[in-house]
Amino acid sequence: MKLMKYLLAISLAVVPIVADACWDPWTIYNRTSLFRLDEEKEYTRSMREANCREWQMLTDRNIPLEDIEYVVYEMPIDSYEVFCAKQVCTLDNAFAQWIKRYDPEIVEFLLLAKRNEEIRFRYSSKWYYPSMKVGGPMTLEDVVEQSLSADSERLRDRYLLQALRALNTLGCYEECLELWNTEISLLPEDNLMRQHMLPLVASAYYRTGDVEKAMAFYASFGDVGSMRYIARLEDRELTEFDIIEYSYRGGAELAHFQSYIEDIIVDAETYPNVVNDGDKPVVSEELIALRDLAIEAANDPKCGNRAEWLYIAAYIYMQQGNYAQAKALLSKAEKAPASDYMKESIKVLSIYLDALTATYNAAYEERLFAQIKWFEEMVR
């Protein structure tokens, strides 16, 4: 009997040790694994790489991505205009050679896009004067007109992006929203150009006075910096829970706001957000709001990450001392689709709750040995 008590104590002690040393359980035990700045850099890079891959799909899959990246992102406008003027491509670049030989439509589009960026870059200067080069757009109004009138179905989403960028720089925010409502919003949600256009749409909503819509749009792609900036301009408080709720309701991926969930939960344990009233924990209002949102999200058939949301709610119920509800939610989480990472986190919390609530008997002794064996395998 004494041996089993020691084993029980060891099993409880090993939970945080395994959690800290062997893997990073989701949100609760490791706060630095979600360092946001690194995520933003990775996200920006992935969007650029994804765009190059789409150009590769539109042309030739054997073209190196670095050749595409140079022509699309790095090639100066003057050099590109020289490339367009020549009959034959003399560049040592597979993408430039391919589009020059096989796809004048792409050549024409990229010329418009580069001129658009050049004009937009110089537009704020009081010394700016439109280019007088023959055959090219001289103003942003020209860019809008040529983009919207371009007869290219396969590049239509890319032309829409150019039009929206030009309209936004011109301050034509109502026109931006009209373009969003009539055409851009109809694009599939996973369309890459649509994703590129969301920040411009969010800006247009704010500029036309629809603060809530702007916040929801910024939240949908994880731009918390812009959300905080708007909150300061509007002289309003933006709590971590506000960011979570805007992000969830805006359809953002959980990875974009996962760290804010972690902050609320870990702070509740680290700081006096959770206090004791005798033997019963009293949980902060923000934590309760997060719990209720987690349950709502877990029950929403359109929402992904059901296992994660159930795990969040279960953990908060545990903090409240409602172990029965916590175990019931974890049981559901165990049956929901989840990554190995998430499954391990659910198992750790289940073992912890089991140790807190189980009656010591032969059945629990058998479970405990199995749990210790699992911990042993994790430590290896």
Side-chain angles (χ1 to χ4, degrees):
M1 177 67 72
K2 182 179 289 188
L3 173 62
M4 292 312 303
K5 288 183 178 179
Y6 282 136
L7 289 174
L8 175 59
I10 290 170
S11 73
L12 288 172
V14 168
V15 170
I17 293 173
V18 173
D20 188 55
C22 299
W23 89 97
D24 295 330
W26 190 83
T27 76
I28 302 304
Y29 302 103
N30 191 325
R31 301 183 62 168
T32 59
S33 63
L34 299 173
F35 184 57
R36 184 158 181 80
L37 181 60
D38 288 342
E39 288 180 355
E40 287 180 342
K41 287 182 178 179
E42 183 179 339
Y43 177 72
T44 302
R45 178 66 191 178
S46 68
M47 289 281 282
R48 181 164 171 162
E49 181 179 335
N51 189 30
C52 290
R53 290 191 182 280
E54 285 204 354
W55 280 118
Q56 192 181 53
M57 296 292 290
L58 286 169
T59 52
D60 186 335
R61 297 185 184 185
N62 295 318
I63 297 175
L65 291 177
E66 55 267 26
D67 284 10
I68 297 173
E69 184 173 26
Y70 172 74
V71 174
V72 174
Y73 289 101
E74 300 170 6
M75 191 173 184
I77 178 65
D78 292 343
S79 300
Y80 191 81
E81 287 176 336
V82 171
F83 159 78
C84 292
K86 291 184 176 181
Q87 294 295 320
V88 179
C89 177
T90 58
L91 297 174
D92 183 19
N93 182 290
F95 182 67
Q97 292 174 1
W98 200 97
I99 61 175
K100 188 68 173 179
R101 183 173 183 179
Y102 299 112
D103 208 323
E105 190 175 56
I106 291 179
V107 173
E108 183 180 355
F109 166 78
L110 288 175
L111 179 60
L112 177 74
K114 286 181 178 292
R115 282 176 171 163
N116 188 16
E117 290 306 296
E118 178 75 6
I119 297 170
R120 291 176 64 233
F121 178 75
R122 300 180 182 278
Y123 198 80
S124 59
S125 171
K126 64 180 180 180
W127 301 108
Y128 169 72
Y129 190 77
S131 168
M132 297 302 293
K133 292 181 180 178
V134 176
M138 296 181 293
T139 66
L140 290 175
E141 288 84 356
D142 293 334
V143 172
V144 174
E145 181 182 353
Q146 292 192 24
S147 296
L148 295 181
S149 63
D151 185 20
S152 174
E153 184 65 28
R154 67 183 180 131
L155 299 180
R156 181 61 180 173
D157 55 350
R158 296 178 179 275
Y159 274 112
L160 287 172
L161 174 60
Q162 298 309 314
L164 195 66
R165 284 174 171 170
L167 286 169
N168 194 275
T169 304
L170 287 168
C172 300
Y173 303 115
E174 294 287 355
E175 288 83 351
C176 287
L177 296 180
E178 181 180 356
L179 196 58
W180 163 258
N181 289 320
T182 59
E183 192 164 357
I184 299 170
S185 64
L186 303 179
L187 294 171
E189 289 192 4
D190 61 352
N191 180 280
L192 187 64
M193 295 303 105
R194 186 185 194 273
Q195 294 170 20
H196 276 294
M197 288 184 267
L198 289 177
L200 299 170
V201 177
S203 173
Y205 272 117
Y206 180 69
R207 296 285 188 168
T208 55
D210 196 336
V211 177
E212 291 302 308
K213 199 84 169 182
M215 294 286 267
F217 265 83
Y218 282 124
S220 72
F221 53 89
D223 189 352
V224 176
S226 292
M227 294 173 68
R228 293 192 187 280
Y229 178 71
I230 289 177
R232 287 196 298 270
L233 291 178
E234 298 296 314
D235 194 25
R236 58 185 283 188
E237 181 184 9
L238 186 70
T239 67
E240 288 180 329
F241 178 74
D242 291 334
I243 294 171
I244 294 167
E245 186 171 27
Y246 272 121
S247 300
Y248 162 67
R249 301 201 185 286
E253 296 179 15
L254 187 59
H256 285 317
F257 58 97
Q258 184 170 313
S259 61
Y260 298 98
I261 296 173
E262 178 190 70
D263 285 343
I264 291 178
I265 293 178
V266 176
D267 284 353
E269 296 177 321
T270 308
Y271 306 107
N273 287 346
V274 176
V275 297
N276 289 315
D277 180 14
D279 294 328
K280 185 158 181 74
V282 179
V283 185
S284 70
E285 291 183 3
E286 191 171 47
L287 205 59
I288 292 174
L290 175 57
R291 180 203 67 192
D292 293 344
L293 182 68
I295 293 172
E296 177 187 337
N299 291 328
D300 183 357
K302 297 180 181 178
C303 181
N305 307 108
R306 174 174 165 80
E308 284 84 347
W309 286 115
L310 287 167
Y311 175 72
I312 294 166
Y315 197 95
I316 297 173
Y317 270 117
M318 182 192 70
Q319 288 181 316
Q320 290 180 285
N322 191 338
Y323 300 139
Q325 185 64 13
K327 292 179 73 172
L329 291 172
L330 278 180
S331 179
K332 293 180 180 179
E334 289 170 352
K335 299 178 178 67
S339 64
D340 291 341
Y341 181 74
M342 187 69 243
K343 289 176 182 177
E344 289 167 355
S345 297
I346 293 169
K347 190 174 182 69
V348 168
L349 192 56
S350 296
I351 292 172
Y352 184 75
L353 278 168
D354 198 20
L356 287 175
T357 60
T359 299
Y360 184 81
N361 53 29
Y364 177 66
E365 182 178 317
E366 185 177 350
R367 291 201 309 274
L368 179 60
F369 273 116
Q371 292 164 356
I372 292 174
K373 183 177 180 180
W374 180 77
F375 278 132
E376 183 183 4
E377 292 173 353
M378 292 298 298
V379 171
R380 285 177 181 173

